[in-house]
Structure formats: C-alpha cells, structure tokens
Amino acid sequence: MPSPAITRTTEPARSVSIMSFCVLTAEFSHESNSFSRRLTDLAAFRDRYYHLGEAAIAERGSANTPLAGFLDIARPAGWTVHHPISAGATPSGPVTREAYEHIAALILNAAKTHRADLNGILLGLHGAMVAEHLEDGEGELLERLRAIVGPDMPIGITLDPHTNITERMVRLATAIVAYKTYPHVDMRDCGQQAATIIGRTMAGEICPVTLWEKLPMLEEATGGRTDVGPMLPRLAAARAYETEPDVFAVSVNGAFPNADIADVGPSVLVTCQGDLAKHQAFIRRIAADMWEKRADRGEPLLTVTAAALQAKRFDAKSGPLVIADFADNPGGGAYGDSTALLAALIAAEVEDACFAPIFDPETVDLLVKHQPGDTVRLTLGGKTDARFGGGPLALSATLIGLFDGSYIGDGPMIGGLKGSFGPSATIRIGGIEVLVVSNITQVLDLAQFRAFGIEPTERRVIALKSMQHFRAAFEPIAGQVIVCDSGALCTPDLTKLPYHRARRPIYPLDPDTAWT
C-alpha cells in the first residue's frame, strides 16, 4: 500500500511568537556508502543539486524539502533568513575532502559573517555522511558551527531516518527531527517541525534537549519501511507522544548499514524538556521493540530468476508488474550498473517491458554516434565491479532515442524538482526498452521514464533500481510490486560486506550480540 498522504500546512503545530529573529539555514546532504569505489566529489553534488543563496530558495523553497519547511515558518513570522547553500549528491562512496571542506566552508563562513545578528540555525542534513578524512560529517559540521556561535545558540537539524546518529550530533544539536515516512514524502513537514521548535526556543518559550537510545545492530530489520510492517505502530506511538506536553519531536531511525563506521546502527530520539526519565523510558520501549524484532525482515526478496519468471507469466489487467532491484539501488550507494536482473529478463524473453536505469556512460558515448533505428553491438553495464550484480552483457540493441537526461518530477517525493540522468539513450533489447544513463540516481518518479519516451502505465512490466522510494509514485499504477536481490552492492545480506570499523559485537555480524 502507498505511504499515507501528508496534509501540508504552512501553519506550525504550535504557535511561534512573531519576533524579528535572524536565522541561518542550509542544506548539506549525502548518504555515504563506504564500500563503494566511487568517491563523491564536488562534481557529484553539482550533478544532483548545488544551489547558492537565492537560487537555492527559488529552486527548492516550495517543494518537498527541509528548506521549504523552514521557510514556511520563517516567512509568516518575519524572520530574516540567510541561506548560503543547498547541496546534495546521489549516495555513493565517501565525500572527498575537497568537496566536504568546500561546502562546509560556505556554511561556516556565513555563520561567521552574520554571527552578531544570528538568533538560531536550521540545517537540512542526512545523518549518514562519511568523508575521506572523517566518519561523522554532520557531527563535524555541528562542532565547527558551535566553535563560531557558542554553546547556547539554538540549532535545529532535520535528518533522514537512515541516519547513523552519533553522540556529537545529539550533544551539539538543540533539536533533531527525522522524517517519519519512507518514501520520504514528509521532508517539508519535518522542516516545519524543526523550525517551530527552534522558533519557540529563540522566543524563550521552551528549553529543549535531545535524548537517545542506540542499538547494537547494523539496521532495523525492514530497512525502516513505513508503508507496512513494525515501523507503523512505532511511528504511531511516536506521533501520539509528540502531542504530550514537553515533547517536541520523536525520531525512529532505521540506520544506514552500508556505512562502515563505529556509530553505524538504528536509534530512537526524543527532543523534549521536563520529566527526562519518563521520556527516556518511552524511547527505550520503542528501541526494545526494534531489538526484539531484529530478525523479522518481513517481505522476502526474490532471486532475479524468480522475478523474471513471474514477469514472463504476469497478467497486467489491473496494472503493470513493478520489479524493484533492491540491491542495485543507487539511493543506497550501489553502482546502478548491475546486469543480473536485466540478463534474467532477457533470458526469460519477457515482452512489453521497460527497465531503468542502467549506468554506463561508455555505452552512451557509443550510442550518440548512431541514429535512432540503428542496430548496435554493445557491451552493456557491469563495468564498475562485476563481483556485485554481474558483469557486462554482450548483445545487440536497437537505438530508440537520445536525450540530454533532464526531467522534472511530478510525484509525491520530487514533484517540481529538476533532475538529470546526464546524456542518456533508450534502446530496445528484444521486448524490453532500457534507459542507459551517464549520471546515476534511483527511480523515484514516473517522469524518470516519461521524459525519455517511455510511458510506464502502458507497459506490462516495469523494472527499476530502487529499494523503497519508488513506491510513492509507482504503487498507485501497479498491478503488483515485487522486490529482488541482484547481489549488487546494497544486498540485504550484510554479512557479505567487509566491515572493519563498525563497533563489535554487532548484529547480525555477531549473532549472539546482547543489548542490555
């Protein structure tokens, strides 16, 4: 079932005193897969989004973003807002030193410039950023900001629920608000919530602190799904607790297990005041439920062969079959060039299907030398690391179209936001239309097919690379959704990954791990 609809309002849940506050805002987001060979440089941020000042506000200030939520509170209250940058890169390997220091410096220099006037800070972060030279990108940024603005200035942050919370983040942020939906259709709402908390703090109405519980496991068993499974009652309890006096935010975080760092793992937080023992007991109960269900993965993942067989036989009278390649999800830092699922679909002679995307800039460079209608011999995909998800496929394909890769989202997650796959091509292999791209990102929106001449509602089978975010846009059109494991870098079998830095013991690497 799709994630519940979010009713958005520009009015905060609790009133904020209208005072002439000056606030620094910024967005700096990356989910860093430390097992990836692809480092995340400054070009990777520019390829996804990198906007300065007013350009950032124009691009992201009225969409499903933390910045839009901050502005929803700031504008009616008459706050002065200084926004130096919004930057985010597709999940991949650790952020290079150069990229981290460049973006961090823009935020820190803005804090220095406006220090005398600032009353508070609001940051849209991810919570799982690792750089070449440090494990805790968000904690480091907060530490440097505190060195500029001091220990007392209110700082509110929004996080992805796949955050790996650290002690520094909890200690240095005044308020922490993580998204409660996955797919993340509530990013703007959480920006509003964080801004409301910081507004009340600046006005002297409240004096919040954040408490936390951390679990000795790599991730919550279902990966933090919020459409079905055990996260639903946990989040219902969190929302109910947020209505109590002295409770401002409860965050239930599934973690990002592909970060090989000491602080990897799920957590539960409450930003609050008053009876701290009561609040700690509440989040500990939620954490205990996560621990007790640590082996309950819920929906099974199919092999690519089983998924292809189902696709071969599928009757699409109620909508297409949507197959998600969970393990090659670029949204988790996978390479996006796994060929295992595509090879299985070709072998099964699946007809009336589409597949997106497969990352292969070399193949795109070859295809742009041809004309639509040409038959071209290709060595497709699998070029980054064939150990994860299969090697290149030698085949013949018909070129359908060439594109610059641009699209504009119109779905629940990225509606109104621009994106780009870079120079791209659509090809036909048997009965399958395939989108080949030179800039990888996961599939979140129907526009990521439609902009390239593929109407997904008219196909019998839709294969795509994503874990969960695709559901917001694709479940409403699907006759059925299935998920498979291609053996790529984001395989759910975490015991296959070479952890070295994660604290031990930790479940499931150490099955007998105890949590006291």
Side-chain angles (χ1 to χ4, degrees), residues 303-328:
T303 65
V304 293
T305 301
L309 181 61
Q310 192 163 335
K312 175 75 171 178
R313 300 172 175 173
F314 187 72
D315 182 350
K317 62 186 177 207
S318 60
L321 175 69
V322 177
I323 307 172
D325 185 350
F326 182 105
D328 199 32

Side-chain angles (χ1 to χ4, degrees), residues 26-41:
E27 294 178 306
F28 186 15
S29 179
H30 191 254
E31 186 177 68
S32 307
N33 187 324
S34 57
F35 300 109
S36 171
R37 292 179 172 182
R38 292 184 194 147
L39 292 178
T40 305
D41 58 13

Side-chain angles (χ1 to χ4, degrees), residues 13-14 174-177 180 193-194 196-198 200-201 205-211 235-252 268-283 285-286:
R14 295 183 173 107
T174 308
I176 299 177
V177 181
K180 288 186 175 68
Q193 187 176 7
T196 299
I197 297 168
I198 294 305
R200 298 181 73 203
T201 305
E205 296 177 20
I206 59 175
C207 188
V209 297
T210 297
L211 310 176
L235 290 167
R239 290 186 176 98
Y241 200 65
E242 286 179 336
T243 66
E244 296 197 9
D246 291 337
V247 179
F248 313 117
V250 179
S251 300
V252 186
V268 187
L269 296 82
V270 57
T271 295
C272 58
Q273 64 183 15
D275 189 344
L276 300 188
K278 173 189 171 184
H279 304 323
Q280 191 81 49
F282 172 78
I283 60 172
R285 286 195 296 273
I286 295 181

Side-chain angles (χ1 to χ4, degrees), residues 176-199:
I176 299 177
V177 181
Y179 317 144
K180 288 186 175 68
T181 62
Y182 178 38
H184 307 325
V185 295
D186 64 335
M187 291 185 280
R188 183 173 188 168
D189 302 88
C190 290
Q192 292 177 4
Q193 187 176 7
T196 299
I197 297 168
I198 294 305

Side-chain angles (χ1 to χ4, degrees), residues 148-172:
I148 296 167
V149 302
D152 301 323
M153 181 170 293
I155 299 179
I157 64 174
T158 62
L159 297 176
D160 189 290
H162 298 104
T163 177
N164 293 317
I165 285 287
T166 68
E167 183 275 335
R168 280 205 298 180
M169 290 186 218
V170 174
R171 172 169 48 86
L172 296 169

Side-chain angles (χ1 to χ4, degrees), residues 28-277:
F28 186 15
S29 179
H30 191 254
E31 186 177 68
S32 307
N33 187 324
S34 57
F35 300 109
S36 171
R37 292 179 172 182
R38 292 184 194 147
L39 292 178
T40 305
D41 58 13
L42 198 55
F45 285 91
R46 296 186 188 279
D47 283 343
R48 189 175 184 195
Y49 65 90
Y50 178 100
H51 307 294
L52 302 177
E54 289 300 319
I57 292 173
E59 183 70 25
R60 297 176 55 81
S62 57
N64 178 35
T65 66
L67 173 60
F70 300 158
L71 295 174
D72 286 341
I73 304 303
R75 283 169 169 159
W79 299 352
T80 298
V81 174
H82 299 289
H83 186 83
I85 188 168
S86 288
T90 294
S92 48
V95 178
T96 63
R97 179 190 292 266
E98 177 192 21
Y100 181 89
E101 296 298 339
H102 171 86
I103 297 170
L106 292 172
I107 300 169
L108 297 169
N109 288 339
K112 292 174 184 175
T113 299
H114 302 289
R115 172 64 187 93
D117 300 318
L118 282 182
N119 302 107
I121 296 174
L122 288 163
L123 303 174
L125 307 176
H126 184 284
M129 183 188 295
V130 179
E132 284 183 300
H133 56 310
L134 48 92
E135 287 192 359
D136 179 9
E138 290 83 1
E140 178 70 18
L141 179 63
L142 289 168
E143 192 95 61
R144 296 184 190 183
L145 277 170
R146 283 290 179 206
I148 296 167
V149 302
D152 301 323
M153 181 170 293
I155 299 179
I157 64 174
T158 62
L159 297 176
D160 189 290
H162 298 104
T163 177
N164 293 317
I165 285 287
T166 68
E167 183 275 335
R168 280 205 298 180
M169 290 186 218
V170 174
R171 172 169 48 86
L172 296 169
T174 308
I176 299 177
V177 181
Y179 317 144
K180 288 186 175 68
T181 62
Y182 178 38
H184 307 325
V185 295
D186 64 335
M187 291 185 280
R188 183 173 188 168
D189 302 88
C190 290
Q192 292 177 4
Q193 187 176 7
T196 299
I197 297 168
I198 294 305
R200 298 181 73 203
T201 305
M202 292 187 298
E205 296 177 20
I206 59 175
C207 188
V209 297
T210 297
L211 310 176
W212 66 317
E213 289 283 346
K214 186 89 169 180
L215 289 154
M217 50 197 287
L218 290 173
E219 72 169 338
E220 190 272 337
T222 69
R225 286 187 67 172
T226 62
D227 55 338
V228 295
M231 271 294 185
L232 286 173
R234 293 171 194 150
L235 290 167
R239 290 186 176 98
Y241 200 65
E242 286 179 336
T243 66
E244 296 197 9
D246 291 337
V247 179
F248 313 117
V250 179
S251 300
V252 186
N253 304 311
F256 180 60
N258 292 78
D260 184 16
I261 61 173
D263 288 303
V264 63
S267 58
V268 187
L269 296 82
V270 57
T271 295
C272 58
Q273 64 183 15
D275 189 344
L276 300 188

